[in-house]
Amino acid sequence: MNLKYRGKTKDVYELENGHYLLKFKDDVTGEDGVFDPGANTVGLQIAGAGRAGLKLTKHFFEVLQEQEIPTHYVDARLDEAEMIVKPAVVFGDGLEVICRYKATGSFMKRYGKYAVEGQDLGGFVEVTLKDDERQDPPISADALDVLGILSLTEYAQLKALTKQIGDVVKEELLNREIELYDIKLEFGKTETGEIMLIDEISGGNMRAYKDGVYIEPLELERLMNEA
Amino acid sequence: MNLKYRGKTKDVYELENGHYLLKFKDDVTGEDGVFDPGANTVGLQIAGAGRAGLKLTKHFFEVLQEQEIPTHYVDARLDEAEMIVKPAVVFGDGLEVICRYKATGSFMKRYGKYAVEGQDLGGFVEVTLKDDERQDPPISADALDVLGILSLTEYAQLKALTKQIGDVVKEELLNREIELYDIKLEFGKTETGEIMLIDEISGGNMRAYKDGVYIEPLELERLMNEA
């Protein structure tokens, strides 16, 4: 198997049968030794972090599979911290698609003049470009269209899928009395042009609260991964 | 008549008949004595700038009136640098609606990874919040809707009007062999909820080029105001 890409928290290998292998690492993003899922740099290593993230990802992708929501998921080997996935073509150099149930984070930074922290947003969907240099700018459906990154039809599909997946995760968390504030997803296309969820769904992808208190990603994975 | 608001480039007075009077000033926005229409501070005074801006505004609003495009325009007195307008309710604390024909300025700052300077954008419309503190963030139709600033129906109307007005201005400039790159508009609602163009349409609202060279707002007004 060939190493295709060395990522911040995962390495990507190409397999001989055309699938890809994602190797989850114990590196977590952050700055100055403090874990921050939104950071663009690796801040520290936490033993078992890769496997915990994969375990939760496996769970969510299998729930989505049952509901026939298209994803790149094929299989996962927890002991090896490896996930097997289908090949995907990303949109442009990658988009982040965010489903927001409660106002927090970058939404407040941008729209704090009109919103209060924790305000209900009803699963509102927004897209940002993956562009570290330009601080991941938000982008509208029309701008994605004019730049040839995503057609308006694809945007509508992406938005509907995001809301559907967000609602599944929200429901799963609610079963453990945890409240989902927002979740960040990535999408790609199959070779035949079908839009599917890619990457992972772990603690670092979402902000969750219990009894009004924010739950750190690793603690969230611990709570969700409990039998 | 009562002073209602002292603006950076215009003062607003309430008239007894319910109309408002906009007094165009010779103050222009900029920094350190350099004219910059996008700046949030008054940089310098230029004799006659108010009247030149009003003359062009009057021209455009009268062209729009002929085409039955709703605006707040009632009348203008060039000698007094005064424009009479209908009362308007703005959306939130004010939006800027931008129609882009060629990529430049903040569009390039945000989306420069996917665009080249001067690239054709075909009259693409985007909205930013007027919020100096948060650097006038771009905002999507869905975000405007979820924050109660603008409904999706109002957004569609606003977008259609913006394109219509942008095309009128583009055409007018083209008659003088000037190319419109982008234009920034403001909208409000009448008491009965009809969306209309408000504020002004002067050199400072747009970026224009002649033979590939950027034309300063005051020079643009001079070129356009020539008999």
Side-chain angles (χ1 to χ4, degrees):
Chain A
M1 75 189 187
N2 289 318
L3 179 68
K4 292 292 283 181
Y5 172 76
R6 200 175 281 282
K8 280 175 279 204
T9 61
K10 290 191 291 291
D11 293 332
V12 180
Y13 297 88
E14 188 173 7
L15 300 177
E16 277 165 20
N17 66 357
H19 285 156
Y20 285 80
L21 185 150
L22 308 184
K23 180 87 183 173
F24 283 59
K25 300 193 282 190
D26 287 341
D27 297 334
V28 300
T29 53
E31 273 174 41
D32 305 326
V34 179
F35 186 16
D36 173 5
N40 283 320
T41 49
V42 167
L44 63 163
Q45 278 214 340
I46 298 174
R51 256 185 292 179
L54 177 57
K55 190 172 177 191
L56 190 56
T57 295
K58 180 179 189 302
H59 172 70
F60 283 129
F61 273 97
E62 287 174 357
V63 172
L64 295 175
Q65 202 167 39
E66 278 163 30
Q67 302 199 14
E68 294 182 357
I69 293 171
T71 76
H72 70 161
Y73 182 74
V74 175
D75 197 10
R77 304 169 197 147
L78 285 186
D79 290 344
E80 271 79 44
E82 291 172 357
M83 181 159 84
I84 312 296
V85 300
K86 287 180 259 183
V89 180
V90 297
F91 300 101
D93 295 326
L95 305 176
E96 291 191 337
V97 189
I98 305 142
C99 189
R100 299 186 180 276
Y101 294 95
K102 301 271 183 188
T104 190
S106 59
F107 187 88
M108 287 306 295
K109 251 186 234 167
R110 286 199 292 273
Y111 308 130
K113 190 170 186 177
Y114 294 94
V116 292
E117 181 78 24
Q119 170 184 331
D120 198 18
L121 297 177
F124 150 75
V125 174
E126 64 179 2
V127 177
T128 62
L129 293 180
K130 279 192 165 192
D131 186 349
D132 292 357
E133 200 187 316
R134 295 177 185 83
Q135 293 82 46
D136 298 342
I139 186 162
S140 69
D142 286 337
L144 287 163
D145 181 47
V146 80
L147 291 173
I149 300 171
L150 209 64
S151 73
L152 292 177
T153 310
E154 286 172 332
Y155 185 89
Q157 289 170 8
L158 197 81
K159 181 174 150 180
L161 273 177
T162 300
K163 182 70 168 55
Q164 225 182 333
I165 295 164
D167 285 355
V168 165
V169 174
K170 185 174 186 283
E171 216 37 55
E172 290 278 315
L173 264 61
L174 216 54
N175 290 338
R176 313 228 168 187
E177 290 166 352
I178 298 171
E179 198 172 16
L180 181 64
Y181 268 44
D182 54 33
I183 181 163
K184 187 176 69 183
L185 303 173
E186 290 187 38
F187 290 88
K189 280 194 282 195
T190 64
E191 283 148 353
T192 56
E194 194 198 14
I195 296 179
M196 62 181 174
L197 181 69
I198 62 169
D199 199 48
E200 61 183 276
I201 308 184
S202 64
N205 291 62
M206 61 190 87
R207 285 201 192 84
Y209 285 67
K210 188 160 191 162
D211 303 323
V213 180
Y214 172 69
I215 311 173
E216 292 283 343
L218 295 170
E219 171 67 5
L220 177 65
E221 288 169 359
R222 200 188 57 74
L223 290 170
M224 292 299 296
N225 285 334
E226 274 172 357
Chain B
M1 76 190 187
N2 289 317
L3 179 69
K4 291 293 282 181
Y5 172 75
R6 200 175 279 284
K8 280 175 279 202
T9 60
K10 288 192 292 292
D11 293 332
V12 180
Y13 297 87
E14 189 174 6
L15 301 177
E16 277 166 18
N17 67 356
H19 285 156
Y20 284 80
L21 185 152
L22 308 184
K23 181 86 184 173
F24 282 60
K25 300 193 282 190
D26 287 341
D27 297 335
V28 300
T29 53
E31 272 174 42
D32 304 326
V34 179
F35 187 16
D36 174 3
N40 283 320
T41 49
V42 168
L44 63 163
Q45 278 213 339
I46 297 173
R51 255 185 292 179
L54 176 57
K55 191 172 177 193
L56 191 55
T57 296
K58 179 180 189 307
H59 171 70
F60 283 129
F61 274 98
E62 287 174 355
V63 172
L64 296 174
Q65 203 168 35
E66 277 162 31
Q67 303 200 14
E68 294 181 357
I69 293 171
T71 77
H72 70 159
Y73 182 73
V74 176
D75 197 9
R77 302 170 199 148
L78 286 186
D79 290 344
E80 271 78 45
E82 291 173 356
M83 181 160 83
I84 311 295
V85 300
K86 289 181 257 182
V89 180
V90 296
F91 300 101
D93 296 324
L95 305 177
E96 291 191 337
V97 189
I98 305 142
C99 189
R100 299 187 180 275
Y101 295 94
K102 300 271 183 187
T104 190
S106 59
F107 187 89
M108 287 305 297
K109 251 186 234 166
R110 286 198 293 273
Y111 308 129
K113 190 170 185 178
Y114 293 94
V116 293
E117 181 79 23
Q119 170 184 328
D120 198 18
L121 298 176
F124 150 74
V125 174
E126 65 178 2
V127 178
T128 62
L129 292 180
K130 278 191 166 194
D131 187 350
D132 292 357
E133 200 187 316
R134 295 178 186 84
Q135 292 82 47
D136 298 342
I139 185 161
S140 70
D142 286 337
L144 286 163
D145 181 47
V146 80
L147 291 173
I149 300 172
L150 209 63
S151 73
L152 292 178
T153 311
E154 286 173 330
Y155 185 90
Q157 289 169 7
L158 196 82
K159 181 174 150 180
L161 273 177
T162 300
K163 183 69 170 55
Q164 226 180 334
I165 296 163
D167 284 355
V168 166
V169 174
K170 185 174 186 286
E171 217 37 55
E172 289 278 315
L173 265 61
L174 216 53
N175 290 339
R176 312 226 169 191
E177 289 166 352
I178 298 170
E179 199 173 14
L180 181 65
Y181 269 43
D182 55 32
I183 181 164
K184 187 176 71 183
L185 303 172
E186 290 187 38
F187 290 88
K189 279 195 283 197
T190 63
E191 283 149 351
T192 55
E194 193 197 14
I195 296 179
M196 61 181 173
L197 181 69
I198 62 169
D199 199 45
E200 61 182 275
I201 309 184
S202 64
N205 290 64
M206 60 191 87
R207 284 202 193 84
Y209 284 67
K210 188 159 189 160
D211 303 323
V213 179
Y214 172 68
I215 310 172
E216 294 282 343
L218 295 171
E219 171 66 4
L220 177 64
E221 287 169 0
R222 200 188 57 74
L223 290 171
M224 293 300 295
N225 285 336
E226 274 171 0

